[in-house]
Amino acid sequence: MQLRSGKNFLDFLVATINLHYPVRLKVSCRGLLFDMSDNRRIPKKNETRRKKVVFRNDGGLEIARLSCNEIYHLTRFLE
C-alpha cells in the first residue's frame, strides 16, 4: 500500500510539472520490498552468486522482493 501511494504521489507531481512547464516528463516506477523471513536460511551450493533482480507486476507496479541480509549496489536495479 505504501509503495502504491508513493507511485500515485509521483504521478501527481509529474502531471503537475507537465501541466505548468513546456517539458514532457516520462517516469517509470519500481518498488523494492526487503524481507527478513529467510535471513536464517543457509545458502545452498552455487546459490551465493549475484542474481539479476527480478521485478514482477503487482497491481500495476513493478516490485522486487529481496532479502535483507545482502548488500545491494544501485547498478543491480538498473539492469
PDB file of all heavy atoms in Angstrom, residues 49-62:
ATOM      1  N   ARG A  49      26.012 -16.630  -5.779  1.00  0.00           N
ATOM      2  CA  ARG A  49      26.297 -15.693  -6.865  1.00  0.00           C
ATOM      3  C   ARG A  49      25.257 -14.592  -6.877  1.00  0.00           C
ATOM      4  O   ARG A  49      24.109 -14.792  -6.489  1.00  0.00           O
ATOM      5  CB  ARG A  49      26.272 -16.415  -8.202  1.00  0.00           C
ATOM      6  CG  ARG A  49      27.337 -17.441  -8.342  1.00  0.00           C
ATOM      7  CD  ARG A  49      27.256 -18.064  -9.712  1.00  0.00           C
ATOM      8  NE  ARG A  49      28.139 -19.198  -9.789  1.00  0.00           N
ATOM      9  CZ  ARG A  49      27.989 -20.200 -10.611  1.00  0.00           C
ATOM     10  NH1 ARG A  49      26.993 -20.213 -11.466  1.00  0.00           N
ATOM     11  NH2 ARG A  49      28.841 -21.196 -10.616  1.00  0.00           N
ATOM     12  N   ARG A  50      25.674 -13.441  -7.391  1.00  0.00           N
ATOM     13  CA  ARG A  50      24.726 -12.333  -7.520  1.00  0.00           C
ATOM     14  C   ARG A  50      23.742 -12.650  -8.631  1.00  0.00           C
ATOM     15  O   ARG A  50      24.127 -12.945  -9.755  1.00  0.00           O
ATOM     16  CB  ARG A  50      25.437 -11.039  -7.849  1.00  0.00           C
ATOM     17  CG  ARG A  50      26.209 -10.506  -6.698  1.00  0.00           C
ATOM     18  CD  ARG A  50      26.736  -9.148  -7.042  1.00  0.00           C
ATOM     19  NE  ARG A  50      27.572  -8.676  -5.959  1.00  0.00           N
ATOM     20  CZ  ARG A  50      28.255  -7.578  -6.000  1.00  0.00           C
ATOM     21  NH1 ARG A  50      28.224  -6.817  -7.072  1.00  0.00           N
ATOM     22  NH2 ARG A  50      28.986  -7.207  -4.991  1.00  0.00           N
ATOM     23  N   LYS A  51      22.492 -12.585  -8.302  1.00  0.00           N
ATOM     24  CA  LYS A  51      21.447 -12.847  -9.285  1.00  0.00           C
ATOM     25  C   LYS A  51      20.877 -11.529  -9.780  1.00  0.00           C
ATOM     26  O   LYS A  51      20.928 -10.518  -9.084  1.00  0.00           O
ATOM     27  CB  LYS A  51      20.326 -13.680  -8.655  1.00  0.00           C
ATOM     28  CG  LYS A  51      20.783 -15.022  -8.155  1.00  0.00           C
ATOM     29  CD  LYS A  51      19.648 -15.724  -7.460  1.00  0.00           C
ATOM     30  CE  LYS A  51      20.142 -17.005  -6.820  1.00  0.00           C
ATOM     31  NZ  LYS A  51      19.115 -17.632  -6.000  1.00  0.00           N
ATOM     32  N   LYS A  52      20.327 -11.562 -10.966  1.00  0.00           N
ATOM     33  CA  LYS A  52      19.657 -10.386 -11.501  1.00  0.00           C
ATOM     34  C   LYS A  52      18.389 -10.145 -10.690  1.00  0.00           C
ATOM     35  O   LYS A  52      17.688 -11.080 -10.314  1.00  0.00           O
ATOM     36  CB  LYS A  52      19.313 -10.617 -12.967  1.00  0.00           C
ATOM     37  CG  LYS A  52      18.732  -9.423 -13.650  1.00  0.00           C
ATOM     38  CD  LYS A  52      18.503  -9.689 -15.112  1.00  0.00           C
ATOM     39  CE  LYS A  52      17.880  -8.482 -15.750  1.00  0.00           C
ATOM     40  NZ  LYS A  52      17.600  -8.710 -17.157  1.00  0.00           N
ATOM     41  N   VAL A  53      18.108  -8.897 -10.413  1.00  0.00           N
ATOM     42  CA  VAL A  53      16.912  -8.541  -9.654  1.00  0.00           C
ATOM     43  C   VAL A  53      15.711  -8.686 -10.571  1.00  0.00           C
ATOM     44  O   VAL A  53      15.678  -8.125 -11.666  1.00  0.00           O
ATOM     45  CB  VAL A  53      17.015  -7.101  -9.112  1.00  0.00           C
ATOM     46  CG1 VAL A  53      15.756  -6.713  -8.383  1.00  0.00           C
ATOM     47  CG2 VAL A  53      18.223  -6.972  -8.199  1.00  0.00           C
ATOM     48  N   VAL A  54      14.728  -9.459 -10.131  1.00  0.00           N
ATOM     49  CA  VAL A  54      13.543  -9.728 -10.936  1.00  0.00           C
ATOM     50  C   VAL A  54      12.383  -8.887 -10.405  1.00  0.00           C
ATOM     51  O   VAL A  54      12.018  -8.975  -9.233  1.00  0.00           O
ATOM     52  CB  VAL A  54      13.175 -11.223 -10.885  1.00  0.00           C
ATOM     53  CG1 VAL A  54      11.914 -11.483 -11.676  1.00  0.00           C
ATOM     54  CG2 VAL A  54      14.325 -12.068 -11.400  1.00  0.00           C
ATOM     55  N   PHE A  55      11.821  -8.060 -11.274  1.00  0.00           N
ATOM     56  CA  PHE A  55      10.658  -7.252 -10.931  1.00  0.00           C
ATOM     57  C   PHE A  55       9.416  -7.929 -11.489  1.00  0.00           C
ATOM     58  O   PHE A  55       9.390  -8.327 -12.648  1.00  0.00           O
ATOM     59  CB  PHE A  55      10.792  -5.841 -11.521  1.00  0.00           C
ATOM     60  CG  PHE A  55      11.837  -5.009 -10.840  1.00  0.00           C
ATOM     61  CD1 PHE A  55      13.144  -5.006 -11.290  1.00  0.00           C
ATOM     62  CD2 PHE A  55      11.508  -4.246  -9.741  1.00  0.00           C
ATOM     63  CE1 PHE A  55      14.112  -4.248 -10.666  1.00  0.00           C
ATOM     64  CE2 PHE A  55      12.463  -3.474  -9.102  1.00  0.00           C
ATOM     65  CZ  PHE A  55      13.771  -3.483  -9.570  1.00  0.00           C
ATOM     66  N   ARG A  56       8.393  -8.063 -10.667  1.00  0.00           N
ATOM     67  CA  ARG A  56       7.123  -8.668 -11.089  1.00  0.00           C
ATOM     68  C   ARG A  56       6.007  -7.643 -10.930  1.00  0.00           C
ATOM     69  O   ARG A  56       6.006  -6.839  -9.992  1.00  0.00           O
ATOM     70  CB  ARG A  56       6.831  -9.897 -10.243  1.00  0.00           C
ATOM     71  CG  ARG A  56       7.813 -11.009 -10.505  1.00  0.00           C
ATOM     72  CD  ARG A  56       7.255 -12.337 -10.007  1.00  0.00           C
ATOM     73  NE  ARG A  56       8.017 -13.442 -10.557  1.00  0.00           N
ATOM     74  CZ  ARG A  56       9.095 -13.963  -9.993  1.00  0.00           C
ATOM     75  NH1 ARG A  56       9.549 -13.461  -8.874  1.00  0.00           N
ATOM     76  NH2 ARG A  56       9.723 -14.973 -10.548  1.00  0.00           N
ATOM     77  N   ASN A  57       5.051  -7.701 -11.838  1.00  0.00           N
ATOM     78  CA  ASN A  57       3.914  -6.788 -11.800  1.00  0.00           C
ATOM     79  C   ASN A  57       2.977  -7.182 -10.664  1.00  0.00           C
ATOM     80  O   ASN A  57       2.495  -8.306 -10.603  1.00  0.00           O
ATOM     81  CB  ASN A  57       3.178  -6.813 -13.136  1.00  0.00           C
ATOM     82  CG  ASN A  57       2.182  -5.701 -13.246  1.00  0.00           C
ATOM     83  OD1 ASN A  57       1.807  -5.077 -12.265  1.00  0.00           O
ATOM     84  ND2 ASN A  57       1.754  -5.448 -14.458  1.00  0.00           N
ATOM     85  N   ASP A  58       2.740  -6.243  -9.768  1.00  0.00           N
ATOM     86  CA  ASP A  58       1.848  -6.476  -8.640  1.00  0.00           C
ATOM     87  C   ASP A  58       0.847  -5.328  -8.580  1.00  0.00           C
ATOM     88  O   ASP A  58       1.108  -4.289  -7.980  1.00  0.00           O
ATOM     89  CB  ASP A  58       2.648  -6.563  -7.342  1.00  0.00           C
ATOM     90  CG  ASP A  58       1.792  -6.897  -6.139  1.00  0.00           C
ATOM     91  OD1 ASP A  58       0.606  -7.227  -6.323  1.00  0.00           O
ATOM     92  OD2 ASP A  58       2.298  -6.821  -5.008  1.00  0.00           O
ATOM     93  N   GLY A  59      -0.269  -5.494  -9.249  1.00  0.00           N
ATOM     94  CA  GLY A  59      -1.306  -4.466  -9.245  1.00  0.00           C
ATOM     95  C   GLY A  59      -0.908  -3.198  -9.980  1.00  0.00           C
ATOM     96  O   GLY A  59      -1.265  -2.104  -9.555  1.00  0.00           O
ATOM     97  N   GLY A  60      -0.141  -3.327 -11.050  1.00  0.00           N
ATOM     98  CA  GLY A  60       0.238  -2.158 -11.836  1.00  0.00           C
ATOM     99  C   GLY A  60       1.563  -1.540 -11.440  1.00  0.00           C
ATOM    100  O   GLY A  60       1.966  -0.537 -12.003  1.00  0.00           O
ATOM    101  N   LEU A  61       2.251  -2.108 -10.465  1.00  0.00           N
ATOM    102  CA  LEU A  61       3.542  -1.592 -10.022  1.00  0.00           C
ATOM    103  C   LEU A  61       4.562  -2.714 -10.066  1.00  0.00           C
ATOM    104  O   LEU A  61       4.304  -3.814  -9.579  1.00  0.00           O
ATOM    105  CB  LEU A  61       3.425  -1.041  -8.597  1.00  0.00           C
ATOM    106  CG  LEU A  61       4.675  -0.431  -7.972  1.00  0.00           C
ATOM    107  CD1 LEU A  61       5.128   0.788  -8.777  1.00  0.00           C
ATOM    108  CD2 LEU A  61       4.405  -0.027  -6.543  1.00  0.00           C
ATOM    109  N   GLU A  62       5.716  -2.435 -10.684  1.00  0.00           N
ATOM    110  CA  GLU A  62       6.786  -3.423 -10.751  1.00  0.00           C
ATOM    111  C   GLU A  62       7.468  -3.487  -9.386  1.00  0.00           C
ATOM    112  O   GLU A  62       7.998  -2.489  -8.902  1.00  0.00           O
ATOM    113  CB  GLU A  62       7.802  -3.042 -11.827  1.00  0.00           C
ATOM    114  CG  GLU A  62       7.241  -3.032 -13.224  1.00  0.00           C
ATOM    115  CD  GLU A  62       6.903  -4.424 -13.720  1.00  0.00           C
ATOM    116  OE1 GLU A  62       7.701  -5.343 -13.481  1.00  0.00           O
ATOM    117  OE2 GLU A  62       5.852  -4.581 -14.347  1.00  0.00           O
TER     118      GLU A  62
END
